[in-house]
Amino acid sequence: MKTYRQREKQGSKVQESTKGPDEAKIKALLERTGYTLDVTTGQRKYGGPPPDSVYSGMQPGIGTEVFVGKIPRDLYEDELVPLFEKAGPIWDLRLMMDPLSGQNRGYAFITFCGKEAAQEAVKLCDSYEIRPGKHLGVCISVANNRLFVGSIPKNKTKENILEEFSKVTEGLVDVILYHQPDDKKKNRGFCFLEYEDHKSAAQARRRLMSGKVKVWGNVVTVEWADPVEEPDPEVMAKVKVLFVRNLATTVTEEILEKSFSEFGKLERVKKLKDYAFVHFEDRGAAVKAMDEMNGKEIEGEEIEIVLAKPPDKKRKERQAARQASRSTAL
């Protein structure tokens, strides 16, 4: 695969098409930014990595990529880059192409060098009118690396599960397991498997769903886990509710109320199984309580506290759609 610049230096004229990009504008963009452009059958990749003068750190991780949809089919990097670089330094931009028409497929993925820039891109560019009457759709892209697995024997530990699933799948890095509230030695019959990347998770899902692979002699149930989406930082900055987990069965709402009320006035406390939500009237009091109470013991169990994430409407919609498909299948 040769870059746009390499081909130009070697004297190979880049294929011209009335439907393709304005090559003079693309050349001017590359000269201005110092980025490279790799053109293959299915995509045009700008950058990845960017020049050292722009960014010389590690490859960006989760939360730095945005999905850009509703792109006019005859629009290319010379219009996209100037718009999105306003949000922050771009690591790469991948514009998906239709080999038959020579035009783009109407969507692209842009990875930024940091999460803040990706979030800024959503604010600046979502619903942006890039052409008269043509508005872009921009959101944070979430590559799902996590599987939900059911039918797990309840006596298995995290270590047992990690060992067993590592035998039949590749790229497994972590197991997320929840214990029964009344018996910490038993799990709840399900777990989440975290893989190193989306490709490994997809391959593991296909293998486990094939019916040919058995774990502890059983065929397990497998689904994609709902992707972990980072809430808007501005929304999280206003949260006054604490999520308290790993509670002993003997912990009551009254005990929690007594423990947390010393940090500030409470609106209410709601305990469910081995976790609870503690609602404060003031955010400062909630943050102070989280900082000072996290890791403390209540009724013999070390509790864990984080700020509660606001309800995810999209997640509820996905769950409803999943439930509807199950009902139809039945």
Side-chain angles (χ1 to χ4, degrees):
M1 184 169 64
K2 295 178 180 178
T3 67
Y4 178 94
R5 282 182 169 175
Q6 285 173 332
R7 285 183 290 154
E8 191 180 49
K9 281 179 183 176
Q10 291 170 354
S12 302
K13 193 174 182 182
V14 179
Q15 185 180 356
E16 291 181 0
S17 167
T18 53
K19 296 178 182 178
D22 184 325
E23 300 295 358
K25 289 182 179 178
I26 298 295
K27 183 180 177 182
L29 171 69
L30 299 179
E31 287 178 351
R32 174 178 71 81
T33 62
Y35 279 66
T36 56
L37 179 65
D38 290 329
V39 181
T40 55
T41 305
Q43 74 171 11
R44 295 167 61 90
K45 185 181 178 185
Y46 169 85
D52 287 344
S53 58
V54 176
Y55 179 81
S56 57
M58 297 287 289
Q59 183 166 346
I62 295 170
T64 58
E65 184 182 78
V66 299
F67 170 82
V68 185
K70 302 180 185 177
I71 299 174
R73 298 303 173 99
D74 59 346
L75 187 147
Y76 297 90
E77 296 84 7
D78 57 302
E79 289 182 75
L80 286 171
V81 171
L83 172 63
F84 281 91
E85 66 185 359
K86 292 176 183 175
I90 293 172
W91 172 272
D92 71 16
L93 183 156
R94 288 168 289 123
L95 183 62
M96 301 301 134
M97 301 298 295
D98 182 346
L100 297 178
S101 70
Q103 295 185 304
N104 75 63
R105 290 183 179 272
Y107 67 95
F109 296 93
I110 303 176
T111 303
F112 288 88
C113 297
K115 285 185 179 181
E116 295 78 12
Q119 290 160 358
E120 185 66 19
V122 175
K123 290 179 191 172
L124 287 177
C125 306
D126 187 34
S127 299
Y128 180 84
E129 189 173 14
I130 196 156
R131 295 265 182 88
K134 302 290 184 181
H135 297 82
L136 297 176
V138 184
C139 62
I140 297 290
S141 171
V142 182
N144 204 346
N145 301 353
R146 185 176 294 181
L147 300 179
F148 168 86
V149 181
S151 307
I152 298 290
K154 294 185 179 179
N155 63 338
K156 300 300 179 184
T157 65
K158 177 176 177 175
E159 291 71 24
N160 296 152
I161 295 168
L162 189 62
E163 182 184 354
E164 196 68 17
F165 280 92
S166 293
K167 292 176 184 175
V168 293
T169 63
E170 294 182 4
L172 181 62
V173 293
D174 195 18
V175 172
I176 299 159
L177 192 65
Y178 296 94
H179 296 99
Q180 295 190 16
D182 54 348
D183 188 349
K184 298 295 181 183
K185 292 181 180 178
K186 289 185 178 179
N187 69 63
R188 295 187 186 176
F190 66 88
C191 70
F192 294 94
L193 303 180
E194 187 85 26
Y195 287 84
E196 60 187 9
D197 53 34
H198 178 72
K199 183 180 178 182
S200 299
Q203 289 174 340
R205 177 176 174 269
R206 281 197 297 271
R207 186 163 167 73
L208 294 170
M209 287 180 74
S210 67
K212 297 174 184 177
V213 176
K214 292 188 177 182
V215 185
W216 298 296
N218 301 323
V219 174
V220 293
T221 56
V222 185
E223 290 183 19
W224 283 112
D226 284 324
V228 181
E229 298 176 18
E230 293 294 326
D232 189 315
E234 289 182 12
V235 173
M236 288 303 292
K238 298 173 185 175
V239 171
K240 299 181 288 185
V241 183
L242 299 182
F243 175 64
V244 186
R245 59 190 168 205
N246 201 37
L247 295 174
T249 50
T250 53
V251 173
T252 63
E253 290 178 355
E254 290 72 25
I255 290 173
L256 289 172
E257 201 169 314
K258 185 178 178 182
S259 301
F260 284 91
S261 59
E262 63 184 75
F263 297 97
K265 194 170 182 182
L266 303 179
E267 288 181 351
R268 66 182 184 278
V269 174
K270 182 68 177 176
K271 189 196 176 194
L272 302 149
K273 297 183 179 178
D274 59 345
Y275 63 91
F277 293 95
V278 180
H279 298 249
F280 281 85
E281 285 191 0
D282 176 67
R283 176 179 166 81
V287 172
K288 187 179 180 185
M290 177 177 67
D291 292 342
E292 295 196 22
M293 290 292 290
N294 194 20
K296 294 284 179 70
E297 280 194 11
I298 296 182
E299 297 287 297
E301 289 288 346
E302 193 175 289
I303 63 171
E304 297 173 19
I305 308 173
V306 293
L307 288 168
K309 292 183 180 179
D312 183 349
K313 291 180 182 178
K314 289 183 181 178
R315 183 180 179 187
K316 288 183 179 179
E317 288 169 5
R318 288 194 297 267
Q319 288 174 335
R322 190 181 295 161
Q323 190 61 42
S325 65
R326 281 181 190 157
S327 301
T328 305
L330 289 170

